[in-house]
Amino acid sequence: MTKIEVNGAALAYDEAGSGSPVVLLHAGIADRRMWREQIDVLATRHRVIALDLRGYGESELPPTAFSHHDDVVGLLDGLGLARAALVGCSFGGAVALDTALAHPDRVSALALLGTAVSGHDWSDQTNDLWETLVGDVDPEDFVATAAGEVRFWVVGPERVPEQVDPELLAFATEMDERALAAELALSAVDVAELDPPAVGRLGELTMPVLVTAGALDVPDIRQLADHIAATAPQAHRLPDVPDAAHLLPLERPAPINSALLAFLP
């Protein structure tokens, strides 16, 4: 683990390999450790940087205003990189999209895995699924909330926990409990959002975009992948990854690694 000063905060990252740079951006229920199955594989061809976004994992959270997408560019500046490909899962995908729209000259390609999109409103169907699968939880109870989020996102609406690798569930739960503490701290800081948000601007993307989702993820995520593929000019939609929900790089690394190696410049 290395730390770098970015826009007044010390951000933690892991780095491996050499070649064209690739930055990995984690899900909001995780941290940079979710890329444990990708780093060594991608490092055979690329300079791989797995970042803890500000406030998450081992990255600091000073009480000053910031934006995640400007932090990504600050990371590139600090490492002397003119451009990089961004690989994002879930919230990390939303940060990657925002970065590409705010700083298009700094992003060579986007790979979006089960991505969120800034400005997207969750559908009634997804909200109803949450109520059915999780229900009301105390947001200050990190253990209960993490259990609910892992049930919703990592298991997914079409499985029961017994159908998922218990080690994956334990690892996801540990990461999510830590991420929930980060999100509580972030709620007290002024986090600038992309304005206008990405959901209405996908046609502005100028770089190649690869998009996919887990076949067992919630419907909104799969529909967002379809929307990006239909709207971004250079987008390619891979089929949904079988037997995977929201953390598909962890759950099904083989097809994800193959797709990334084939796509990344």
Side-chain angles (χ1 to χ4, degrees):
M1 186 272 289
T2 305
K3 285 197 172 183
I4 185 170
E5 191 79 9
V6 173
N7 300 330
L11 302 187
Y13 67 95
D14 295 323
E15 183 173 353
S18 60
S20 59
V22 176
V23 177
L24 307 177
L25 301 171
H26 61 80
I29 61 172
D31 54 50
R32 73 184 194 278
R33 292 175 294 163
M34 70 162 284
W35 301 109
R36 65 186 186 183
E37 302 291 343
Q38 281 69 52
I39 292 175
D40 289 346
V41 173
L42 296 181
T44 61
R45 300 184 190 175
H46 300 278
R47 180 180 179 184
V48 182
I49 300 128
L51 176 67
D52 272 338
L53 292 165
R54 187 184 299 219
Y56 290 87
E58 296 177 279
S59 289
E60 294 180 352
L61 182 64
T64 53
F66 77 100
S67 71
H68 288 296
H69 52 274
D70 287 340
D71 274 359
V72 173
V73 170
L75 172 73
L76 300 183
D77 290 342
L79 295 176
L81 299 174
R83 303 172 82 213
L86 305 182
V87 179
C89 178
S90 186
F91 173 65
V95 173
L97 276 168
D98 288 354
T99 306
L101 290 166
H103 307 280
D105 57 323
R106 307 301 300 274
V107 179
S108 60
L110 283 175
L112 305 171
L113 313 172
T115 193
V117 179
S118 62
H120 170 72
D121 293 323
W122 296 109
S123 69
D124 290 342
Q125 181 184 16
T126 292
N127 290 331
D128 290 344
L129 277 172
W130 176 271
E131 290 301 318
T132 299
L133 295 174
V134 181
D136 292 329
V137 291
D138 179 356
E140 295 186 7
D141 184 340
F142 294 160
V143 173
T145 303
E149 290 191 339
V150 167
R151 172 66 186 89
F152 187 76
W153 292 111
V154 182
V155 177
E158 299 178 37
R159 296 188 291 193
V160 295
E162 292 74 21
Q163 294 175 288
V164 182
D165 178 7
E167 192 278 331
L168 171 64
L169 294 180
F171 183 43
T173 299
E174 188 270 323
M175 285 195 295
D176 194 22
E177 288 178 9
R178 191 170 183 177
L180 287 165
E183 290 172 355
L184 180 63
L186 283 161
S187 68
V189 178
D190 183 8
V191 184
E193 307 292 344
L194 186 69
D195 186 19
V199 71
R201 301 175 56 187
L202 299 172
E204 299 175 26
L205 294 169
T206 58
M207 65 291 297
V209 178
L210 183 73
V211 60
T212 190
L216 302 177
D217 208 337
V218 300
D220 274 31
I221 294 295
R222 303 197 306 272
Q223 291 160 14
L224 280 171
D226 292 339
H227 179 56
I228 295 166
T231 310
Q234 297 188 66
H236 175 63
R237 173 72 155 98
L238 289 179
D240 290 343
V241 178
D243 301 320
H246 202 51
L247 294 184
L248 60 164
L250 263 175
E251 190 168 13
R252 295 289 176 259
I256 293 300
N257 293 346
S258 295
L260 291 175
L261 286 171
F263 170 74
L264 292 169

